[in-house]
Amino acid sequence: MHVRYTSTPSSNRKDWRNIRKMLPYIWEYKGRVVLALVSLVLAKVATVGIPLLLKEIVDSLDQDPAQLLAFPLFLFLAYGALRLASSLFNEMRDAIFARVRFHAMRRLSQNISSILNYLVFNIVPTAAEFVLVAAILLHQYEARFAVIVFSTVTVYIIFTLMITNWRMNYRHEMNALDSKANGQAVDSLLNYETVKYFNNEAHELKRYDNTLGKWEDIAVKSQTSMSLLNFGQGGIIAIGLTVIMIYAGQGVMQGTMSLGDLVLVNTMMLQLFMPLNFLGIIYRMLRHTLADMEMVINLLELKPEIKDTDDAKKLRVVKGEVRFENVKFSYDDSREILDNISFSIPPGTKLGVVGSSGAGKSTLSRLLFRFYEVKSGRVLIDDQDISKVTQESLRKAIGIVPQDTVLFNDTIFYNIQYARPEASRQEVINAATMANLHQFIEGLPEGYNTLVGERGLKLSGGEKQRVAIARVILKNAPILVFDEATSSLDSRSEKAILESLHEISEHHTTLVIAHRLSTIVDADRIIVLEHGKIVEQGTHQSLLKENGVYAAMWRLQQEQREPVENIEQLSVL
């Protein structure tokens, strides 16, 4: 596998675009930005002043001791003061800019911290120092000294960027192979039983070792190319320093330059190249970070597919009637999910929806929550088209127990209270009690403070669904949706939960999407979906009498249910 990373005009334009997009987040604290830039310039002035003062010290000492009028104590003290000032202003820059940096991180992402580090603490200071050194060299010495310094720096930068771009291929391949090897190792450990079932320990070790072998070869190439980069950089600096020292030495011999001048040009050139030693690393990391930042910028620029209209009003739920009128919907043009569906749920009644997998049952709840827009037709609540009300007010009026309950990695209490964060502890306990969950929670060592783990992995499927049911009870919305709410429960738990659901849905408009038909036998009306169309509707008893699709599903589930119930009764005995 060969990864190609090339700098193209298009990618460069995107990088500059991303940097421009960052500026408003930085400029929110423009006073701090200006102070930080002033501190940066003062730090660089102090840094560049150090070689100038060193020249004066050398020149003052480079004479016959008998002619030396006094020890240049002031120059030594000034030298120390400049060193201290350089450190002080650098730290002031960091401290002043900290609020700008971390506020931008808060608003955008962690990536902006790296970009600001490279720009504010590396690239901009180096550029500022370069300008100051250029001004001093052009003002105090022959133009050839400035030409030598600029030429050396230019060649150094071009060489570094060229080799770094070439080396990126190896770094990308190393990272990809490292990720692959880690993935294989984790995969083998997680699936250790399967590995043992098929006696494939040696196979897994060989597969892992082959990947590491490829990584080793690329790592050697990467290190070799790094050595080439370091040697090339050192060679360029050595040549530049040698040439400038020869000219400075000739100037000293000819009397046009002092020994202090020789020290000055040598020290300035070395100071310039100290930050440039990290140019390759900074360039590579800056390109990677800007690429990551582009994803953040693109994400921020995304327009939501579902958005409130300009004149959207708050949903007013008085009765709680839900109505689907000639609704057509498809996730893509290849297959229609709902085909001209019409039904209503009168206030305070329960509608059951059944059908085979892929019939469009769960799509009804997604459209009711307005996660998607209907292709044609309307969804109404109390005669209000939900596409013309605010999403916040719509979703506040609906409570749901989803098919797949995902919990936060926090306490059971937090996950139940999430439905209504301002709810009291007693209200949470009451909701848990109605969901047949309180006794289970009290039996845990930490009670309601028990952590559920990532996505609720420390709880069983049934326990997670009870938390979801407690959550919807606490929300106390006028419209309820149960999307296969008891699919993870055993028969005994299901019976207890059904009694709770029946109690809480008595005075609510309720949509029950069911796989187990036993959960909707008390529904006021049941509709049967097949291929996105309503093929049957009626009460449980009337549908059984029709002896159609619903009746066939009921008989099949009853046959499957009897052996399970017999086993459960035996386990109790």
Side-chain angles (χ1 to χ4, degrees), residues 36 76 102 119 129 147 191 250 336 362 436 516:
F76 283 99
F102 293 116
L119 289 177
E129 188 171 351
V147 170
N191 297 289
Q250 288 175 346
E336 194 135 71
S362 293
N436 197 24
R516 290 182 179 177

Side-chain angles (χ1 to χ4, degrees), residues 264-408:
L264 172 65
V265 293
N266 179 66
T267 306
M268 278 192 165
M269 193 164 181
L270 284 174
Q271 276 191 185
L272 269 181
F273 281 101
M274 282 172 61
L276 288 177
N277 281 335
F278 303 100
L279 178 63
I281 297 171
I282 292 170
Y283 173 71
R284 185 178 74 247
M285 297 305 295
L286 185 60
R287 292 302 302 272
H288 289 173
T289 307
L290 282 170
D292 292 340
M293 179 56 69
E294 183 180 354
M295 291 188 287
V296 175
I297 296 291
N298 289 341
L299 183 63
L300 290 173
E301 290 181 342
L302 275 179
K303 303 297 182 186
E305 292 182 13
I306 309 298
K307 57 183 180 181
D308 295 340
T309 57
D310 294 336
D311 58 346
K313 298 177 180 178
K314 287 187 177 182
L315 177 69
R316 291 177 294 103
V317 182
V318 179
K319 297 178 180 178
E321 181 190 22
V322 175
R323 192 162 75 249
F324 278 61
E325 287 185 352
N326 306 315
V327 170
K328 287 190 174 185
F329 176 77
S330 59
Y331 294 104
D332 55 61
D333 296 331
S334 62
R335 186 169 73 96
E336 194 135 71
I337 303 299
L338 297 177
D339 184 8
N340 204 33
I341 293 289
S342 293
F343 64 85
S344 65
I345 315 175
T349 65
K350 180 191 290 189
L351 173 73
V353 181
V354 299
S356 57
S357 296
K361 303 187 299 296
S362 293
T363 301
L364 295 174
S365 67
R366 296 189 186 106
L367 293 178
L368 184 59
F369 270 92
R370 206 181 161 210
F371 291 163
Y372 302 94
E373 299 284 23
V374 298
K375 190 175 177 182
S376 65
R378 296 190 302 168
V379 180
L380 303 103
I381 296 177
D382 283 349
D383 295 322
Q384 299 162 81
D385 190 335
I386 65 170
S387 66
K388 296 178 181 177
V389 301
T390 62
Q391 295 173 70
E392 182 185 5
S393 65
L394 171 67
R395 291 164 189 167
K396 190 176 182 181
I398 309 170
I400 186 170
V401 177
Q403 183 176 356
D404 181 24
T405 302
V406 177
L407 303 180
F408 293 95

Side-chain angles (χ1 to χ4, degrees), residues 430-493:
N430 291 342
T433 303
M434 287 188 69
N436 197 24
L437 188 64
H438 177 69
Q439 194 172 355
F440 161 75
I441 296 173
E442 287 292 288
L444 297 172
E446 300 294 325
Y448 280 86
N449 294 325
T450 301
L451 293 173
V452 302
E454 291 186 10
R455 298 176 66 85
L457 61 84
K458 293 183 180 179
L459 301 181
S460 70
E463 289 159 359
K464 285 198 291 184
Q465 277 195 315
R466 290 184 199 179
V467 171
I469 291 168
R471 204 154 52 183
V472 81
I473 292 171
L474 184 65
K475 186 174 183 180
N476 194 30
I479 299 168
L480 300 177
V481 177
F482 300 117
D483 190 352
E484 301 188 12
T486 62
S487 60
S488 297
L489 302 177
D490 57 62
S491 297
R492 279 178 296 170
S493 298

